[in-house]
């Protein structure tokens, strides 16, 4: 693959080149990983700084409908929008449906929008392992806003906050009371809570849910990266496109305040450090799948299953073998 040519085409906002580059960074092959690293290094410092918006919520809350309506509103304002949608992978077959482009039919046809569904491949935290690298490629391709839609698995889905500038949590009407709102985890990460489906018969319930969560947010500890009034809860209707402009204005207000106060750059620097350590962790885990360590892992696993050795002793033996293997290399 000609990395220099691929780089030039991405900088010229070639959508096919962007799609090919994302496929490259998502590949697990050793030669592809080397080429991906070369490409990302060649693109570093180019393109523009997009607003990265992470979006989470339980299945059925209307994430895809919201993203389509929200994305269409942004492209109508002349902004270029990239959507990175992470789809859950089957625990049995490993496959994914990747049907987000089908759900976002109008947005997928918009020339100012780019939608890329990716499988989670059992990566925890609601995002794919290489989503952050895909974000960097979208920024190099000149997109103004990058939306990261997570799998939607619940309160543990917080990794997206380590790759986004703003984190939105989408809730359904009647999704919980004030006590549910003060639970730790994803609530502590959210910058704006959007209660979707605030229309028709669900409007009263949506308003009550919004009031409950607004009260809950006031009970959470104040974060240094928030101006007065944030985090906040709002109602929206993705179906009727109500409240979307107001939500976008609040996002811009928060982003501008963080830029002016230095929190924006500090957060991005902390995120880069987080992903450095994550790469090291993943590389160490990958070593468990190679050579004599892999064979030992299976053997000790069988012994643990037969009750011949405790899990703690077996783990200690494998770690010692890993250290010996490292000494040889």
């Amino acid at each position: 693959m000609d990395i220099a040519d691929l780089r030039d085409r991405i900088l010229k906002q070639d959508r096919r080149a962007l799609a090919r580059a994302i496929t490259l960074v998502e590949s697990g092959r050793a030669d592809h990983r080397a080429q991906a690293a070369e490409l990302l290094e060649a693109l570093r410092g180019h393109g523009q700084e997009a607003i990265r918006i992470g979006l989470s919520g339980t299945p059925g809350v209307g994430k895809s409908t919201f993203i389509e309506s929200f994305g269409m509103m942004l492209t109508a304002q002349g902004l270029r929008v990239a959507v990175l949608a992470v789809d859950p992978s089957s625990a049995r077959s490993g496959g994914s449906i990747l049907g987000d482009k089908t759900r976002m039919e109008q947005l997928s046809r918009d020339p100012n929008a780019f939608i890329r569904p990716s499988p989670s491949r059992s990566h925890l935290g609601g995002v794919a392992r290489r989503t952050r690298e895909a974000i960097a490629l979208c920024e190099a391709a000149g997109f103004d806003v990058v939306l990261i839609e997570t799998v939607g698995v619940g309160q543990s889905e917080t990794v997206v906050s380590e790759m986004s500038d703003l984190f939105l949590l989408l809730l359904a009407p009647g999704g919980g009371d004030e006590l549910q709102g003060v639970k730790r985890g994803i609530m502590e990460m959210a910058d704006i809570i959007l209660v979707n489906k605030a229309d028709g018969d669900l409007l009263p319930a949506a308003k009550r849910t919004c009031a409950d969560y607004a009260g809950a947010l006031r009970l959470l500890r104040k974060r240094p990266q928030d101006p007065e009034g944030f985090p906040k809860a709002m109602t929206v209707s993705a179906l009727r496109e109500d409240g979307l402009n107001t939500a976008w204005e609040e996002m811009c207000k928060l982003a501008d305040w963080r830029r002016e106060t230095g929190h924006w750059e500090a957060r991005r620097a902390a995120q880069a450090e987080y992903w450095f350590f994550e790469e090291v962790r993943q590389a160490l885990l990958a070593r468990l799948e190679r050579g004599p360590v892999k064979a030992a892992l299976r053997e000790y696993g069988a012994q643990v299953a037969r009750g011949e050795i405790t899990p703690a002793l077996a783990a200690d033996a494998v770690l010692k073998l890993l250290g010996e293997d490292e000494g040889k290399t």
Side-chain angles (χ1 to χ4, degrees):
M1 185 178 295
D2 190 337
I3 297 300
D5 178 63
L6 190 59
R7 168 192 175 276
D8 292 341
R9 288 167 57 198
I10 290 172
L11 293 176
K12 291 176 182 177
Q13 302 181 357
D14 185 324
R15 297 161 65 92
R16 287 180 178 271
L18 175 59
R20 189 179 182 191
I22 293 176
T23 300
L24 178 66
V25 301
E26 289 180 342
S27 173
R29 280 177 42 176
D31 56 335
H32 287 173
R33 290 304 309 148
Q35 289 180 322
E38 181 184 349
L39 175 62
L40 290 166
E41 182 62 26
L43 288 169
R44 186 164 58 89
H46 294 277
Q48 66 179 29
E49 185 180 76
I51 297 180
R52 306 170 182 174
I53 301 175
L55 181 70
S56 184
T58 55
V61 76
K63 293 191 297 296
S64 297
T65 305
F66 172 82
I67 288 175
E68 178 167 54
S69 298
F70 186 61
M72 293 295 291
M73 182 199 72
L74 295 179
T75 57
Q77 297 178 13
L79 298 173
R80 299 183 71 236
V81 179
V83 179
L84 301 175
V86 182
D87 205 42
S89 296
S90 169
R92 294 183 177 182
S93 66
S96 297
I97 296 176
L98 303 178
D100 296 276
K101 290 185 76 170
T102 304
R103 285 178 171 172
M104 306 176 198
E105 186 177 356
Q106 285 182 292
L107 189 61
S108 64
R109 294 198 299 262
D110 193 314
N112 285 325
F114 174 83
I115 302 175
R116 172 67 183 225
S118 298
S120 64
R121 293 195 178 114
S122 72
H123 187 72
L124 300 179
V127 293
R129 182 181 173 189
R130 300 299 174 185
T131 300
R132 188 175 185 274
E133 295 177 356
I135 293 171
L137 293 173
C138 291
E139 288 188 324
F143 284 93
D144 303 295
V145 180
V146 180
L147 295 168
I148 308 109
E149 180 193 1
T150 68
V151 168
V153 294
Q155 290 182 328
S156 64
E157 197 170 88
T158 56
V159 176
V160 68
S161 67
E162 296 293 345
M163 60 179 67
S164 56
D165 303 311
L166 305 176
F167 183 27
L168 310 182
L169 178 60
L170 218 60
L171 298 176
D177 55 14
E178 190 168 337
L179 180 60
Q180 184 71 22
V182 297
K183 286 187 176 180
R184 298 307 192 248
I186 201 167
M187 287 294 167
E188 294 178 301
M189 306 295 178
D191 295 309
I192 298 177
I193 291 176
L194 299 175
V195 182
N196 194 24
K197 303 183 179 181
D199 50 54
D201 294 339
L202 290 175
L203 182 57
K207 289 182 177 180
R208 286 195 301 271
T209 301
C210 183
D212 283 340
Y213 279 88
L217 289 174
R218 287 192 290 270
L219 298 176
L220 295 178
R221 184 179 298 174
K222 180 71 175 176
R223 305 181 307 182
Q225 71 268 29
D226 293 329
E228 191 63 34
F230 286 88
K232 62 174 54 181
M234 306 172 63
T235 58
V236 295
S237 170
L239 190 64
R240 290 190 172 183
E241 302 178 7
D242 291 337
L244 299 183
N245 267 305
T246 304
W248 174 238
E249 289 171 4
E250 293 296 330
M251 293 178 214
C252 292
K253 183 192 300 184
L254 179 58
D256 291 341
W257 184 87
R258 286 180 175 173
R259 286 192 182 99
E260 292 167 3
T261 55
H263 289 291
W264 185 278
E265 290 184 2
R267 183 60 183 152
R268 286 209 169 186
Q271 288 175 348
E273 185 179 27
Y274 170 90
W275 287 105
F276 158 69
F277 286 117
E278 187 62 22
E279 281 295 318
V280 174
R281 291 189 193 98
Q282 294 296 331
L284 288 173
L285 287 173
R287 292 184 58 192
L288 295 175
E289 297 298 320
R290 297 199 301 264
V293 177
K294 182 178 181 180
L297 199 64
R298 290 180 176 176
E299 176 58 30
Y300 278 112
Q303 290 181 29
V304 169
R306 292 193 298 266
E308 298 172 0
I309 187 173
T310 65
L313 284 176
D316 188 53
V318 171
L319 290 174
K320 286 180 180 177
L321 182 61
L322 190 63
E324 294 172 2
D325 185 57
E326 182 180 5
K328 294 177 183 178
T329 57

